[in-house]
Amino acid sequence: MPLLEVNDIHTYYGHIYALKGISLTVEQGEIVTLIGANGAGKTTTLKTISGLLHPRAGTIKLQGEQISGLPAHVIVGKGIGQSPEGRQIFTRLSVLENLEMGAYSRTDKADIHKDLDHVFSLFPRLAERRTQAGGTLSGGEQQMLAMGRALMTRPRILLLDEPSMGLAPVLVDTIFDIIKALNQEGVTILLVEQNAARALSVANRGYVLETGHIFLQGSAHELAINEQVRKAYLGEE
């Protein structure tokens, strides 16, 4: 049984038909990536999975339990954590307060402290700035904070939406090193990433989206050598 199973979901923004029958699976322990051009439906897919948008048709299951249609805060409690596009941290709250917001629905206080220590070990920069307001952090630090906040939900699957967007190359390397480290610790990840080459370099499998539907799918290696993918998304002639 897949950890996450998305079956034939159709999602709209008002009258705009955004997702036209998306189906995908993520197995326990995998990194699965969604790639595609802007407007292809990648972020909409993540928002639908996390309950920020509700599909008009189709089902989403987490370890066999249907979650489509549930409120977003209930879905978080069931084990889906998301680091959103654009980070969306609480700019006036401190780093520590942002991380604590990730654990707002948890009652296991002792484990919350352990998870805070773990996040600070993954992101030492955040530990150094724990009392600093989130809005005063650099772009890279804000991305680390958004990922750390998502980890504080103790997710069974972590949704990462454009984690390298707007970052300097050295920080992109850092973020992808952390993604690999998290996966090695057993975190299952569904990754949306504009940098298709980097995404495929860390993923096990991938799906290519075009205008709201899945155009291609396969192992990361198969997609990386696919001629259409190389021309459209890897910048090759």
Side-chain angles (χ1 to χ4, degrees):
M1 177 190 301
L3 176 58
L4 178 70
E5 184 176 8
V6 175
N7 184 41
D8 193 28
I9 57 171
H10 298 255
T11 300
Y12 290 73
Y13 287 100
H15 297 295
I16 299 172
Y17 193 6
L19 299 184
K20 306 168 184 176
I22 296 286
S23 297
L24 60 89
T25 59
V26 183
E27 301 288 344
Q28 180 74 46
E30 279 192 308
I31 299 178
V32 174
T33 188
L34 306 180
I35 60 177
N38 287 334
K42 306 184 299 298
T43 292
T44 303
T45 300
L46 295 194
K47 286 184 174 181
T48 304
I49 292 168
S50 63
L52 296 172
L53 296 170
H54 296 301
R56 292 192 189 176
T59 59
I60 302 168
K61 294 181 180 180
L62 183 66
Q63 224 154 31
E65 177 186 2
Q66 183 159 319
I67 61 170
S68 43
L70 294 177
H73 70 278
V74 174
I75 291 175
V76 170
K78 290 184 177 294
I80 293 183
Q82 181 167 359
S83 174
E85 182 182 14
R87 296 134 198 174
Q88 298 182 32
I89 62 162
F90 300 102
T91 57
R92 295 187 179 184
L93 299 184
S94 70
V95 166
L96 179 59
E97 289 167 336
N98 267 275
L99 295 175
E100 289 172 340
M101 286 297 291
Y104 80 96
S105 63
R106 294 174 54 182
T107 57
D108 50 336
K109 290 188 178 180
D111 287 333
I112 288 172
H113 288 299
K114 289 178 184 177
D115 289 345
L116 272 172
D117 290 340
H118 183 229
V119 168
F120 285 140
S121 71
L122 283 168
F123 304 103
R125 300 275 280 278
L126 298 183
E128 295 168 7
R129 291 160 172 74
R130 68 172 67 203
T131 61
Q132 194 169 321
T136 66
L137 301 179
S138 70
E141 290 163 350
Q142 289 188 15
Q143 183 60 57
M144 294 174 192
L145 183 55
M147 291 173 66
R149 183 182 58 190
L151 288 172
M152 288 301 297
T153 68
R154 191 169 273 195
R156 285 195 272 173
I157 180 167
L158 177 63
L159 311 183
L160 297 178
D161 195 352
E162 301 287 7
S164 77
M165 180 181 287
L167 300 185
V170 65
L171 286 174
V172 173
D173 291 341
T174 298
I175 292 297
F176 274 92
D177 285 344
I178 291 166
I179 290 171
K180 288 188 288 186
L182 287 171
N183 185 245
Q184 288 166 2
E185 290 180 358
V187 178
T188 304
I189 296 170
L190 180 57
L191 169 67
V192 162
E193 177 55 54
Q194 195 69 33
N195 187 334
R198 293 304 298 263
L200 292 172
S201 75
V202 299
N204 302 102
R205 294 186 298 112
Y207 295 86
V208 182
L209 273 64
E210 279 193 359
T211 58
H213 68 276
I214 290 173
F215 170 62
L216 286 171
Q217 60 180 294
S219 72
H221 175 70
E222 288 168 344
L223 293 178
I225 63 174
N226 180 281
E227 184 176 352
Q228 291 169 290
V229 174
R230 294 171 75 91
K231 286 182 178 179
Y233 305 110
L234 303 183
E236 299 186 14
E237 296 297 330

